[in-house]
Amino acid sequence: MKKIFRKLIAVFCTGLIMSCATVPCAGAEKADSLPELPSGADFSEFISAMNDYDTLNSSNEEPGFASAALGVFQGDEVIYTGYFGCTDIENGIPSDENSVYEWGSISKTLIWVSAMQLWEQGQLDLERDVREYLPEGFFQHLSYDEPITMLNLMNHNAGWQETTRPIWKTDEDEILPLGEELQAIEPAQIHRPGEITAYSNYGAAVAGYVIECITGQDYCEYVHGHIFEPLGMEHTALNPMHSDNTWVHEQRKKMKSYRFSLGHCIDIGNCLNYVPAYPAGAATGTLNDLITYAQALVNDDAPLFQSPETQYAMFEGTDFYGESDIPMCAHGFWCEEHNVRTYGHSGGTTAGQANMIFDLDSKTGLVVMVNEPDGNWYMEYSPLWVFGDLSPDKYASGDFGKADLKGYYLPARSTYRGMMKFIPYLTAISADNLDEVNNIGRGVLQLYDGQSAMLIGEKVEPDDTLIALQQPSMDLLPESFYLVKLCLFTVYVMLAVSAVYMLRIRHKLKKYGKWTSYGGSAVITAGQTARILSVVLVLISFVIYANNQGGISANTAAVIGIFQMICIVICAAAAVCSLISAISSNREKAKTYRYILSTAVNLLTV
């Protein structure tokens, strides 16, 4: 009787909360019943939290977020949808069922579903080298002869570093056919296939092109015919320009994006950037369409496959933490450990973020979409409300010891070859800064911050040498010489700074007639100038790389590279000339020391 009474009170409170949500630009649909959330949280509390944050935001003079579209489903029933904030704050356009948001990397799941459809039909072997499906000589920068399989592409362990070519374009006339685009942005392969996990937009887009090559059909057309149309997804576009869906194309132009900094809302415009390698992240559509797609993935009837067994196989683990049976990845879908195990994918673009996450057991799913590239409260906290945190006791039973983690680790998803190879050294992680880390066996570590736990895998060689720390989508690579390399990079920059001062001093001395020329001074001056130019070129390349969403055009890279090689030649010549002068001259010690110092600093720069 008490339970029934509590449920009646909860229903009444939920209805009261929903009826009081009168804020412009916000709304939510009340569920007919109060289901149980996998997190264990009361559903009425979840609804209250979503609305309360929106109400708080609306009461502020300066908004704390732009907009969010959020939906929760269980099986074939949508139990909650909420639209909060505005997709155009200046004009007061609210987020609603007609608002379209960019999926970002959730688009990749369309590739994996398509691949499993072809696998089911016997047209695609997941363990066959994808080069057998691609045009001959498609890849030009491979370092290893080992096969690159569809499973490698799904697990993001084909070995590629981040591409240094722009993956976004603002001029649709510059967009090439998918195959040509992939050849234009091909990154270096720096790891043996299957060895290291490093999230790769490029690898996923290659998988999309493999589907084109197998079917003889444009990838966008294939997805429309085999996923969107069977599910009735009429309000989702896929190609880079959204020209495959006129309605979405027009709606997308109405949405603006925002950033928030120091309490201020910054309008960054429509952010209509195009993704030429579009299978990796160009899908755009309404909340309801993405919910429909997510529901199909938990449906026991498996509407996207000929047999439910194929859908079951799709969610079997393909990459695991250490030597355990705890999956990190299941055929391209990321596995996350909350109060329950979830599957799904998140995504981010220059315009916003999105997340699709579901629990296969309860068939509960969450979809959330925002028009902020940095995300917002709804993006961060709604998954915790629905699915909860990972309890430190879930996998750690009995006594376990502290993990012996030492040193520094670099993100595998970065650039390790070419002019941007200094970037991972700027984002290193020190094991000393990690919270409590315990070894719970089978090559699995558990990181605990006092509130929730997170799993980390250990990837080791046969002699127990640590190769990498594993986490979904990206390994962390141990770097024994991190401090040495960081010091060398720092010295390289400081030598350029000191060269500026040396040239200024020389200029002052010449101005006042106190400069005395000496043998080799011109070469030493050239070396100083080259050191300055070299560091300036590094800074320029980094700024271009960052401002172009991680890319430098081939022409720009060539120009910078040529000038850097000229700097190398000048510094090498200055080092040689200074060394010869130091050995052959009988000058006073001060000048000999000057030659020796010039030799050292130029060699360090080289």
Side-chain angles (χ1 to χ4, degrees):
M1 188 68 183
K2 290 182 178 179
K3 290 184 179 179
I4 295 174
F5 180 74
R6 283 200 296 268
K7 287 185 178 181
L8 289 173
I9 292 296
V11 172
F12 173 76
C13 291
T14 301
L16 183 62
I17 290 169
M18 300 301 294
S19 64
C20 292
T22 58
V23 182
C25 301
E29 298 175 8
K30 182 173 74 68
D32 294 331
S33 60
L34 292 175
E36 182 179 348
L37 293 174
S39 65
D42 185 85
F43 191 68
S44 61
E45 292 178 347
F46 164 75
I47 296 175
S48 178
M50 300 300 106
N51 289 323
D52 286 351
Y53 185 76
D54 181 56
T55 302
L56 177 65
N57 177 69
S58 300
S59 65
N60 296 330
E61 292 185 10
E62 188 83 18
F65 75 94
S67 78
L70 186 149
V72 181
F73 63 86
Q74 284 190 340
D76 59 1
E77 181 183 2
V78 178
I79 58 176
Y80 175 82
T81 56
Y83 296 93
F84 307 98
C86 294
T87 56
D88 184 339
I89 295 175
E90 181 181 2
N91 295 306
I93 300 176
S95 173
D96 59 25
E97 64 276 4
N98 292 317
S99 301
V100 298
Y101 294 85
E102 295 184 352
W103 289 23
S105 289
I106 298 176
S107 309
K108 293 180 177 67
T109 63
L110 299 169
I111 306 171
W112 315 136
V113 169
S114 301
M116 294 302 291
Q117 289 176 339
L118 297 179
W119 172 77
E120 180 180 53
Q121 299 163 20
Q123 297 188 61
L124 171 64
D125 184 343
L126 301 180
E127 300 186 54
R128 184 178 175 183
D129 193 335
V130 295
R131 283 174 285 188
E132 297 181 30
Y133 300 108
L134 297 170
E136 186 175 353
F138 185 79
F139 299 123
Q140 297 295 315
H141 303 300
L142 296 183
S143 301
Y144 301 93
D145 293 328
E146 281 83 350
I148 297 173
T149 68
M150 182 60 72
L151 281 176
N152 289 139
L153 302 180
M154 289 173 161
N155 291 333
H156 293 266
N157 60 14
W160 286 300
Q161 70 170 14
E162 280 286 275
T163 180
T164 55
R165 297 288 177 259
I167 61 172
W168 306 90
K169 292 184 178 180
T170 55
D171 185 354
E172 60 183 82
D173 293 332
E174 295 180 359
I175 297 175
L176 304 173
L178 181 57
E180 294 179 30
E181 192 68 47
L182 291 172
Q183 289 186 304
I185 66 172
E186 182 186 349
Q189 187 188 40
I190 59 173
H191 299 293
R192 200 176 300 277
E195 188 176 87
I196 296 296
T197 299
Y199 189 86
S200 176
N201 287 306
Y202 178 79
V206 166
Y209 187 56
V210 168
I211 290 166
E212 270 198 15
C213 293
I214 291 175
T215 61
Q217 190 176 11
D218 181 86
Y219 172 76
C220 180
E221 293 177 2
Y222 178 89
V223 170
H224 272 278
H226 295 82
I227 298 178
F228 290 172
E229 291 174 13
L231 296 180
M233 296 170 61
E234 298 179 352
H235 300 109
T236 303
L238 182 58
N239 75 18
M241 298 80 69
H242 310 138
S243 58
D244 53 316
N245 189 307
T246 304
W247 184 86
V248 171
H249 180 75
E250 293 303 315
Q251 289 297 110
R252 174 62 184 87
K253 290 190 290 186
K254 298 177 183 178
M255 186 188 80
K256 289 188 174 183
S257 295
Y258 300 86
R259 290 186 185 274
F260 291 81
S261 176
L262 302 176
H264 296 290
C265 175
I266 304 170
D267 184 342
I268 58 176
N270 294 104
C271 292
L272 281 170
N273 295 320
Y274 306 112
V275 188
Y278 71 93
T284 301
T286 61
L287 173 70
N288 286 335
D289 263 18
L290 187 50
I291 291 175
T292 297
Y293 172 61
Q295 285 180 298
L297 298 175
V298 302
N299 190 328
D300 287 335
D301 293 333
L304 293 175
F305 301 101
Q306 297 173 0
S307 168
E309 294 299 318
T310 305
Q311 181 166 291
Y312 177 82
M314 184 169 68
F315 292 116
E316 291 180 337
T318 51
D319 196 15
F320 301 85
Y321 289 94
E323 299 298 324
S324 74
D325 58 356
I326 306 172
M328 290 193 302
C329 184
H331 295 94
F333 286 82
W334 298 114
C335 311
E336 294 183 3
E337 297 296 325
H338 294 267
N339 191 47
V340 294
R341 179 175 298 162
T342 64
Y343 299 78
H345 214 295
S346 60
T349 69
T350 57
Q353 291 188 14
N355 197 3
M356 175 186 73
I357 180 172
F358 44 83
D359 166 26
L360 292 175
D361 292 332
S362 68
K363 304 195 184 308
T364 301
L366 165 72
V367 171
V368 55
M369 312 172 84
V370 306
N371 59 334
E372 299 171 46
D374 299 324
N376 60 30
W377 185 90
Y378 290 97
M379 182 63 60
E380 182 175 357
Y381 289 103
S382 59
L384 299 179
W385 271 100
V386 177
F387 301 105
D389 285 313
L390 172 63
S391 167
D393 300 323
K394 184 173 182 178
Y395 293 109
S397 58
D399 296 328
F400 45 84
K402 300 287 185 183
D404 186 24
L405 288 182
K406 299 177 182 177
Y408 292 87
Y409 296 84
L410 307 182
R413 184 187 181 185
S414 194
T415 51
Y416 287 87
R417 191 176 298 170
M419 66 176 65
M420 307 307 298
K421 66 180 181 181
F422 64 90
I423 288 179
Y425 294 92
L426 305 181
T427 56
I429 297 172
S430 171
D432 296 334
N433 294 332
L434 297 177
D435 293 312
E436 182 178 330
V437 182
N438 296 307
N439 191 331
I440 62 176
R442 299 179 297 167
V444 184
L445 310 179
Q446 183 169 266
L447 178 66
Y448 184 60
D449 63 4
Q451 295 181 332
S452 61
M454 184 181 78
L455 300 182
I456 300 175
E458 288 186 304
K459 191 176 290 183
V460 297
E461 293 179 342
D463 62 357
D464 291 333
T465 300
L466 182 67
I467 300 174
L469 294 179
Q470 301 170 285
Q471 54 182 2
S473 81
M474 184 181 70
D475 289 346
L476 299 174
L477 309 177
E479 176 52 82
S480 301
F481 299 101
Y482 168 72
L483 291 178
V484 174
K485 293 180 179 180
L486 187 63
C487 285
L488 282 173
F489 183 75
T490 304
V491 168
Y492 162 70
V493 174
M494 294 308 298
L495 288 177
V497 174
S498 67
V500 173
Y501 283 99
M502 295 301 293
L503 290 175
R504 289 191 65 187
I505 291 171
R506 176 177 175 171
H507 175 72
K508 291 286 186 180
L509 290 174
K510 278 189 172 183
K511 182 178 180 180
Y512 294 104
K514 296 183 178 181
W515 171 259
T516 302
S517 183
Y518 59 91
S521 62
V523 175
I524 290 176
T525 300
Q528 291 169 336
T529 305
R531 292 201 298 276
I532 297 169
L533 178 59
S534 178
V535 171
V536 169
L537 289 170
V538 167
L539 294 175
I540 290 173
S541 64
F542 181 74
V543 170
I544 295 173
Y545 182 84
N547 288 341
N548 285 279
Q549 291 82 43
I552 302 177
S553 70
N555 291 336
T556 302
V559 171
I560 293 174
I562 289 170
F563 275 104
Q564 283 285 25
M565 286 188 281
I566 292 172
C567 291
I568 289 173
V569 171
I570 293 173
C571 287
V576 172
C577 291
S578 297
L579 181 61
I580 292 173
S581 297
I583 294 173
S584 62
S585 67
N586 294 316
R587 306 176 190 276
E588 61 267 28
K589 289 184 177 180
K591 289 186 177 179
T592 301
Y593 290 150
R594 180 183 294 171
Y595 290 133
I596 293 173
L597 180 61
S598 174
T599 302
V601 297
N602 281 294
L603 287 176
L604 277 169
T605 301
V606 173

